Amino acid sequence: MNILVTGGAGYIGSVVVEECLRDGHKTFVYDNLVKGHRENVAEEAVFIEGDLLDGNLLGKVFRENEIEAVIHMAAYSLVGESVGNPAKYYQNNVVAGLSLLDAMRDCEIKKIVFSSTAAVYGEPEKQPVEESDRLAPTNPYGETKLAFEHALRWYENAYGLHYASLRYFNAAGASEKCGELHDPETHLIPLVLQAAIGKRSHVEIYGEDYPTRDGTCVRDYIHVIDLARAHILALKILDEKSAIYNLGCGGAGYTVREVIDVATEVTGLEIPVRVADRRAGDPAVLIAGSDKIKNDLGWNPEFQDLRLIIESAWKWLRNHMKKEEAKSKVS
Ligand code: UFG
């Protein structure tokens, strides 16, 4: 298929692009590079620098390249920032998203895979969280992702669009070439590894008085390659229907302390830790019920062990730092 990936220069997007290419799709990346990195885009993909609000450019790209399906990953995704600046999130995650949907409608493209989030559930009433559970986002990030999910449902109803909405839990790890590099970085695993390598003085644990096995929050970490593969499977249902799927590994998840312990073993380095206050809006436990995608699509995560996830992130970080050092020597 000819596929366009919005946000394909971002952390998860660039790995999705790798998997699209591996599955034999002609892959186009549409990214404004506000958050993405051009060098993350696989050479075999066609890169177009553009903004989702530019409907004319989108239409031209769709028509010239005979795009058949879109994987929509371009979005802002910082929970804290979204609370302070909801306008930014509504503008990008909803308004720009609708511009994309309308350009698709003009060009009669009827298939879309959408990057949604566990944040649509807010503080879940039970664990593991299932797709049919209560949707009650506690921040504009989750709220804007949910708004777009709702738009998809109504566009399906009126215009025959088929969508797969994938609600990610905690994406982590790296492929050979692409890893996590946000600015600012807020995610636990890259922060822990940066503390191990000395790029940060320490890592903070946001609260150790939660009702969990060691008092720190439990999360469901999913390897970015397993996450990316789910997009390829999801594309295959879109001829016939739409669906919403959680994406996580399930099981008992890992506490913040367990993440730090595994990272200490993997790196062989001391990771200085300080206990800090709770971060506003963090649920104690967030575990995905992912039976639906396993049963419907045969999705089967290969890298469920946290050690494998952290090893891949660690390998990528060291390579990345070597490359950066080499670049700074040349310049
Ligand atoms: N944490 C720390 N110290 C840090 C960073 C994180 O203790 O320096 C803790 C957090 O409190 C949380 C866990 O580590 O318990 C994981 O935090 P992340 O920031 O890595 O990820 P979140 O679980 O907050 O975020 C994920 C997705 C978001 C999504 C959210 C839904 O990355 O996109 O789940 O709640 F919105």
Side-chain angles (χ1 to χ4, degrees):
M1 250 194 287
N2 291 358
I3 299 174
L4 183 120
V5 183
T6 76
Y11 162 49
I12 302 175
S14 55
V15 182
V16 167
V17 168
E18 288 177 340
E19 290 300 318
C20 286
L21 291 164
R22 189 162 296 137
D23 202 48
H25 299 292
K26 185 142 197 238
T27 308
F28 298 80
V29 170
Y30 191 90
D31 197 302
N32 63 10
L33 298 182
V34 169
K35 292 280 175 185
H37 305 276
R38 175 68 182 88
E39 64 275 17
N40 277 3
V41 179
E43 275 172 23
E44 304 89 324
V46 178
F47 178 75
I48 300 123
E49 186 170 344
D51 202 282
L52 292 178
L53 291 168
D54 189 346
N56 287 336
L57 178 61
L58 274 172
K60 186 166 172 278
V61 170
F62 285 152
R63 278 187 286 269
E64 281 178 0
N65 301 297
E66 296 176 8
I67 298 296
E68 298 161 83
V70 171
I71 301 181
H72 177 37
M73 313 195 67
Y76 292 139
S77 62
L78 296 177
V79 169
E81 181 186 62
S82 79
V83 176
N85 192 357
K88 180 173 175 180
Y89 280 71
Y90 275 90
Q91 187 63 26
N92 197 33
N93 297 1
V94 180
V95 177
L98 294 178
S99 160
L100 169 72
L101 287 188
D102 288 335
M104 288 175 65
R105 196 153 65 89
D106 280 348
C107 298
E108 294 184 22
I109 299 168
K110 296 204 185 270
K111 296 178 189 176
I112 183 167
V113 178
F114 172 56
S115 306
S116 189
T117 169
V120 297
Y121 298 109
E123 287 269 354
E125 289 169 317
K126 63 162 187 51
Q127 305 290 338
V129 187
E130 282 161 302
E131 290 85 351
S132 54
D133 286 355
R134 188 186 61 163
L135 299 169
T138 51
N139 52 63
Y141 169 59
E143 194 76 72
T144 55
K145 287 284 182 174
L146 185 57
F148 193 77
E149 280 197 7
H150 288 156
L152 289 173
R153 181 159 56 85
W154 291 114
Y155 275 55
E156 174 185 40
N157 184 56
Y159 311 126
L161 180 78
H162 281 168
Y163 66 92
S165 189
L166 304 180
R167 294 178 179 158
Y168 306 166
F169 282 62
N170 288 65
S175 70
E176 188 86 20
K177 293 203 183 125
C178 300
E180 196 165 2
L181 188 64
H182 296 113
D183 184 21
E185 188 54 76
T186 62
H187 291 114
L188 181 64
I189 291 177
L191 289 173
V192 165
L193 295 179
Q194 287 173 13
I197 215 163
K199 266 190 89 182
R200 289 176 191 268
S201 60
H202 64 280
V203 62
E204 287 189 331
I205 294 181
Y206 295 148
E208 57 171 6
D209 57 351
Y210 284 96
T212 60
R213 49 189 179 268
D214 63 13
T216 66
C217 288
V218 173
R219 291 290 181 274
D220 183 342
Y221 295 91
I222 166 174
H223 196 294
V224 65
I225 293 178
D226 285 326
L227 190 77
R229 287 180 183 159
H231 295 69
I232 309 301
L233 294 174
L235 279 169
K236 302 189 198 299
I237 66 164
L238 298 177
D239 276 331
E240 286 168 18
K241 61 171 183 173
S242 297
I244 296 177
Y245 294 116
N246 283 344
L247 276 179
C249 293
Y254 295 91
T255 68
V256 175
R257 282 222 182 260
E258 286 164 356
V259 169
I260 296 169
D261 289 348
V262 173
T264 305
E265 278 170 39
V266 166
T267 61
L269 296 167
E270 193 200 335
I271 300 175
V273 164
R274 286 188 206 157
V275 177
D277 289 341
R278 288 181 175 199
R279 184 170 66 178
D282 273 343
V285 181
L286 209 47
I287 302 285
S290 288
D291 284 353
K292 191 175 166 203
I293 190 165
K294 288 179 181 158
N295 294 337
D296 281 11
L297 308 186
W299 180 69
N300 185 18
E302 191 180 334
F303 310 103
Q304 299 202 36
D305 185 346
L306 183 65
R307 173 178 281 273
L308 296 175
I309 294 177
I310 293 185
E311 276 171 0
S312 71
W314 178 233
K315 189 171 166 205
W316 179 84
L317 179 64
R318 279 181 308 162
N319 280 339
H320 175 75
M321 288 186 68
K322 268 190 220 149
K323 279 190 207 151
E324 291 295 297
E325 269 167 35
K327 260 196 230 163
S328 68
K329 274 186 198 147
V330 171
S331 57

